[in-house]
Amino acid sequence: MLDELIEKRKKALSESEQHKNRRNELNALASSHAKERNKLNGQTREFVEEAQKNKELRDQHNTEVKDLKGQRNKLNAEANEYFGEIDSFKKEHSSFKRNSSVKELQRQIESLEFRQQTEVFSTDKERELIDKIKQMKAAIKEQEDELEQNKDLKTKLQAARDLRKQASEIHAKVTEVAELAQNHHDQMVDFYRKADQSREHADAEHKAFVEAQEAADEEHQAFISCQKELRDYDKVISGLHNKKKKSKVTKERRQVRQEAERIFELFKGGEKLTTEDILLLQRSKLI
């Protein structure tokens, strides 16, 4: 029975070591996943912060664009008032040619130039478009030259030109700032996309961390169970060893007692005893 218990204890000890080693491996794996998760969470925060910065800059530029457009539209409206007065004067005086107003020609030119910048044309078509724009500009120049012959109209025309020029400069600024706003918007979207990807990877690492940690806890509980089993085996084996030892001592004492009684009988019969025999009788308290 003792040998059987000793073998079972060896098996329990081996299982205990296996569970301990596996637990340590899983804890190390969980720690690795936690470290990577924390790193990714840090990256996510950085990406979100960058996205927020670009969002704020985009909003600032959009506000600036809105303000600039208001200034530009106001200047164009003031210029149109002058052109309207000029057109009214032309209608009232038959000496001026009956053709499209400067304001209308300018609007058509802006429309054609926008098409030229945003649409794709064949070489011939684009050349035709450029020639048309040149003709309209020449018509404007011709009308303006005619208008400048009138002192009052010349003053209004110059005022309208100055306002148009200011509006054009502001429009250029609008375009520049709008591009900046769009650039920051694109960066914001890109950083939010990176944050989503980083967050997704962090969630995956957290899931792996939880799984490894739970598996490590299971191995730890199995290790604790094996340790308890080992302690139980140790108690039983130790008890059996003590019992066996006690039994051996009792047997040895009985044998010594029997030998002492045998020598004592010889002593009573007058046999000569050796020093060892006498010491044995003394230990056995027979003399």
Side-chain angles (χ1 to χ4, degrees):
M1 180 179 178
L2 180 60
D3 291 340
E4 182 181 349
L5 287 172
I6 291 173
E7 285 301 315
K8 287 183 177 180
R9 185 188 183 283
K10 287 181 180 179
K11 183 179 178 182
L13 179 61
S14 176
E15 290 178 357
S16 174
E17 287 298 312
Q18 289 176 10
H19 288 305
K20 183 178 73 172
N21 292 336
R22 182 58 181 157
R23 177 201 65 190
N24 293 343
E25 290 174 1
L26 288 167
N27 277 331
L29 181 61
S31 178
S32 176
H33 284 304
K35 184 178 180 180
E36 185 63 20
R37 175 202 62 194
N38 295 340
K39 176 184 175 182
L40 288 166
N41 281 333
Q43 286 182 350
T44 301
R45 285 191 294 272
E46 290 176 1
F47 287 143
V48 170
E49 287 174 1
E50 288 299 319
Q52 287 293 333
K53 289 178 183 177
N54 279 281
K55 180 178 182 295
E56 291 173 3
L57 289 170
R58 179 204 65 183
D59 293 345
Q60 289 174 14
H61 289 314
N62 280 335
T63 299
E64 187 178 357
V65 166
K66 183 178 179 181
D67 293 340
L68 288 169
K69 282 183 176 180
Q71 297 174 35
R72 179 199 63 190
N73 294 341
K74 181 180 178 182
L75 290 168
N76 279 329
E78 292 176 0
N80 287 336
E81 288 181 8
Y82 282 117
F83 283 124
E85 292 176 7
I86 293 171
D87 288 340
S88 297
F89 184 87
K90 286 170 61 178
K91 290 177 182 178
E92 294 172 0
H93 296 77
S94 58
S95 59
F96 289 96
K97 294 179 180 179
R98 299 299 179 181
N99 48 25
S100 298
S101 67
V102 173
K103 181 172 68 174
E104 178 60 25
L105 288 172
Q106 186 64 44
R107 187 190 65 77
Q108 292 179 24
I109 289 173
E110 290 174 357
S111 177
L112 292 175
E113 287 179 339
F114 180 78
R115 287 186 60 196
Q116 183 187 6
Q117 293 171 2
T118 57
E119 297 180 24
V120 178
F121 297 98
S122 64
T123 303
D124 291 340
K125 187 68 177 177
E126 185 169 13
R127 187 180 297 111
E128 180 183 339
L129 190 65
I130 293 172
D131 289 341
K132 190 172 183 179
I133 292 172
K134 286 181 179 179
Q135 290 173 10
M136 287 182 176
K137 287 184 176 181
I140 290 176
K141 181 69 169 59
E142 182 181 353
Q143 288 195 49
E144 288 180 346
D145 289 343
E146 182 182 8
L147 292 171
E148 285 180 347
Q149 300 302 314
N150 183 293
K151 184 177 180 181
D152 186 45
L153 292 182
K154 181 177 181 180
T155 301
K156 290 182 179 182
L157 183 61
Q158 186 60 48
R161 285 173 176 170
D162 291 342
L163 289 168
R164 283 284 191 185
K165 182 180 179 182
Q166 293 177 46
S168 178
E169 290 172 352
I170 291 177
H171 180 71
K173 184 66 175 177
V174 166
T175 303
E176 178 185 341
V177 177
E179 288 178 354
L180 288 174
Q182 185 61 47
N183 181 49
H184 285 297
H185 175 77
D186 293 341
Q187 289 188 59
M188 178 197 73
V189 171
D190 185 52
F191 277 119
Y192 273 134
R193 179 184 58 79
K194 289 179 179 179
D196 288 340
Q197 292 176 345
S198 182
R199 188 182 294 108
E200 183 180 347
H201 292 155
D203 290 343
E205 288 294 335
H206 180 68
K207 182 181 178 182
F209 158 75
V210 172
E211 291 174 352
Q213 192 65 65
E214 289 177 349
D217 291 342
E218 290 177 4
E219 292 294 336
H220 180 67
Q221 291 303 318
F223 169 74
I224 295 299
S225 179
C226 286
Q227 288 294 302
K228 183 178 180 300
E229 188 177 1
L230 284 170
R231 288 193 295 271
D232 292 340
Y233 279 131
D234 287 340
K235 288 179 182 178
V236 175
I237 292 172
S238 178
L240 289 175
H241 273 304
N242 290 335
K243 184 177 179 181
K244 185 177 181 181
K245 183 177 180 181
K246 185 177 180 181
S247 176
K248 181 180 179 182
V249 170
T250 302
K251 182 179 179 182
E252 289 176 350
R253 286 178 178 174
R254 185 167 57 250
Q255 290 174 346
V256 169
R257 179 72 181 184
Q258 289 175 353
E259 179 64 14
E261 289 176 350
R262 185 186 68 79
I263 293 172
F264 186 67
E265 290 299 323
L266 292 175
F267 173 69
K268 289 193 298 181
E271 290 287 335
K272 187 177 180 181
L273 303 180
T274 64
T275 302
E276 287 79 7
D277 293 338
I278 295 172
L279 291 173
L280 179 59
L281 291 173
Q282 287 176 344
R283 287 199 302 271
S284 302
K285 298 181 180 179
L286 292 177
I287 59 173

